[in-house]
Every structure is written in structure tokens, then in C-alpha cells.
């Protein structure tokens, strides 16, 4: 997580260049990262230079919660008032 905290990304291209494991799951700045054995969803706000952990869990938790499906991710984000 320290790598993410210390970065000063200003746009998605810079993010992907330094973290190719970042998987954009919603156009409003939500990405999944692989951090050690966990899968973590993080909201990256480029204008504010902020990163917020929105969800964290094992890959098994990720599959159970989100079913590897962006529609399910979007519904989850909406239900939690993130989008």
C-alpha cells in the first residue's frame, strides 16, 4: 500500500504505467489492485491527489462479492453511494 500512498499520479496513464496490475472497473476512477495475496478496490481521485480504499479482501472474497463482473461492481458501488 505504501507504493500507492507515495505516488503522485495525475492521470490514468501514469497510474497504469507504474502499476500495470491496476484494473479500471469504473470510469469514475475505481481500480482493483493486487496487493500481496489480496485484491483491493481503490478510488483514485486524480484532481485531489487522493486514494481511498473502498474494498479489500482476498481474491476468493473478490470473486464471491463481485463475481468478476463489472455490472455487479457498478451496482455495489451505487448501493454504497460511491457513484
Amino acid at each position: 500500500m505504501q507504493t500507492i500512498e507515495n505516488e503522485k499520479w495525475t492521470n490514468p496513464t501514469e497510474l497504469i504505467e507504474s502499476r500495470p496490475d491496476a484494473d479500471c472497473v469504473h470510469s469514475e476512477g475505481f481500480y482493483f489492485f493486487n496487493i500481496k495475496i489480496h485484491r483491493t478496490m481503490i478510488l483514485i481521485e486524480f484532481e485531489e491527489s487522493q486514494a481511498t480504499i473502498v474494498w479489500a479482501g482476498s481474491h476468493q472474497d473478490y470473486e464471491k462479492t463481485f463475481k468478476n463482473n463489472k455490472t455487479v461492481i457498478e451496482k455495489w458501488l451505487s448501493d454504497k453511494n460511491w457513484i
Side-chain angles (χ1 to χ4, degrees):
M1 189 65 195
Q2 186 175 8
T3 301
I4 294 168
E5 291 173 353
N6 293 332
E7 290 294 338
K8 302 290 184 216
W9 299 308
T10 60
N11 60 59
T13 302
E14 290 178 1
L15 166 68
I16 299 301
E17 285 174 358
S18 68
R19 288 299 301 252
D21 65 313
D23 181 17
C24 183
V25 294
H26 194 275
S27 62
E28 290 190 31
F30 292 89
Y31 296 83
F32 270 109
F33 290 83
N34 296 317
I35 299 177
K36 298 195 186 238
I37 61 168
H38 293 4
R39 189 104 164 113
T40 306
M41 185 178 354
I42 297 175
L43 167 62
I44 305 287
E45 296 182 82
F46 295 104
E47 292 178 19
E48 301 291 329
S49 297
Q50 295 181 342
T52 304
I53 297 175
V54 176
W55 180 91
S58 68
H59 200 277
Q60 184 178 12
D61 294 334
Y62 161 77
E63 289 177 342
K64 182 179 177 184
T65 303
F66 300 110
K67 320 270 188 272
N68 291 326
N69 185 308
K70 288 187 179 181
T71 302
V72 175
I73 293 168
E74 184 169 14
K75 181 177 180 341
W76 186 91
L77 289 167
S78 179
D79 290 347
K80 304 290 185 200
N81 294 316
W82 283 104
I83 58 171

